[in-house]
């Protein structure tokens, strides 16, 4: 969950807060959660719903700080930072779909279940999210060819 939250927020502290909030909501609704077919998927849905609500209230800004210095030592860090900034440009719903599909490697059906939408909506939002990533000035040409493979 922390990995998903970090991919969504781009900030370790915000990701930890998001996971803590999702787990608290899961605990308070445990009667319903424990009756669900897949309690983990239920909790993931709480996480993504919480992120969507948080994102609507305020835009999370990534502070590069010490990470910018590390980019000179490890070329992979620069690529991850570029991808992170490109993901930050996506609307919250597109970002959630792209993270679930390619970072978490969930099927279209599982993403639809987690986000509470149809599989057609997941497919459409995936295509639109990837199209926006391809057009993002944050990604150089080498990343645009395989951005979905690196998530």
């Amino acid at each position: 969950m922390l990995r998903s939250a970090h991919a969504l927020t781009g900030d370790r502290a915000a990701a930890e807060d998001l996971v803590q909030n999702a787990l608290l909501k899961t605990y308070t609704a445990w009667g319903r959660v424990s009756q669900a077919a897949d309690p983990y998927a239920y909790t993931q849905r709480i996480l993504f719903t919480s992120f969507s609500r948080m994102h609507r209230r305020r835009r999370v800004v990534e502070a590069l700080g010490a990470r910018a210095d590390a980019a000179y030592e490890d070329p992979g860090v620069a690529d991850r930072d570029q991808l992170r900034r490109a993901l930050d440009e996506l609307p919250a719903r597109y970002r959630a779909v792209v993270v679930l599909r390619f970072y978490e490697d969930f099927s279209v059906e599982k993403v639809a279940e987690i986000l509470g939408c149809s599989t057609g909506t997941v497919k459409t939002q995936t295509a639109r999210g990837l199209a926006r990533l391809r057009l993002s000035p944050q990604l150089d040409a080498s990343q645009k060819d395989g951005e979905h493979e690196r998530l």
Side-chain angles (χ1 to χ4, degrees):
M1 287 183 68
L2 184 59
R3 197 174 68 169
S4 294
H6 189 267
L8 289 170
T9 64
D11 178 73
R12 176 96 178 164
E16 289 172 353
D17 289 345
L18 185 58
V19 169
Q20 184 175 9
N21 184 42
L23 291 175
L24 178 63
K25 288 180 179 182
T26 299
Y27 176 75
T28 58
W30 186 248
R32 287 189 312 269
V33 174
S34 63
Q35 301 300 316
D38 186 356
Y40 180 72
Y42 195 104
T43 305
Q44 283 283 78
R45 183 173 182 175
I46 292 171
L47 178 88
F48 282 92
T49 303
S50 297
F51 168 73
S52 295
R53 287 185 182 139
M54 176 186 75
H55 191 72
R56 278 192 294 261
R57 280 185 250 131
R58 62 180 165 82
R59 173 102 180 162
V60 178
V61 179
E62 179 178 6
L64 295 175
R67 289 178 56 191
D69 295 336
Y72 294 111
E73 299 168 13
D74 180 6
V77 172
D79 292 345
R80 286 191 301 270
D81 284 344
Q82 288 175 347
L83 184 57
R84 169 83 260 138
R85 286 192 297 272
L87 282 171
D88 284 346
E89 292 177 352
L90 293 178
R93 192 70 169 191
Y94 290 178
R95 186 180 332 161
V97 170
V98 169
V99 166
L100 285 170
R101 286 284 293 129
F102 300 107
Y103 192 75
E104 290 294 331
D105 199 28
F106 285 138
S107 67
V108 171
E109 293 77 18
K110 188 70 165 178
V111 173
E113 178 186 336
I114 290 170
L115 297 178
C117 62
S118 71
T119 57
T121 299
V122 171
K123 291 176 184 179
T124 300
Q125 291 180 348
T126 300
R128 289 178 182 168
L130 291 177
R132 285 193 184 192
L133 285 176
R134 286 185 192 99
L135 297 174
S136 174
Q138 300 295 339
L139 297 176
D140 61 29
S142 65
Q143 282 186 289
K144 289 181 183 179
D145 293 334
E147 76 275 351
H148 66 278
E149 295 169 11
R150 286 196 249 289
L151 288 175

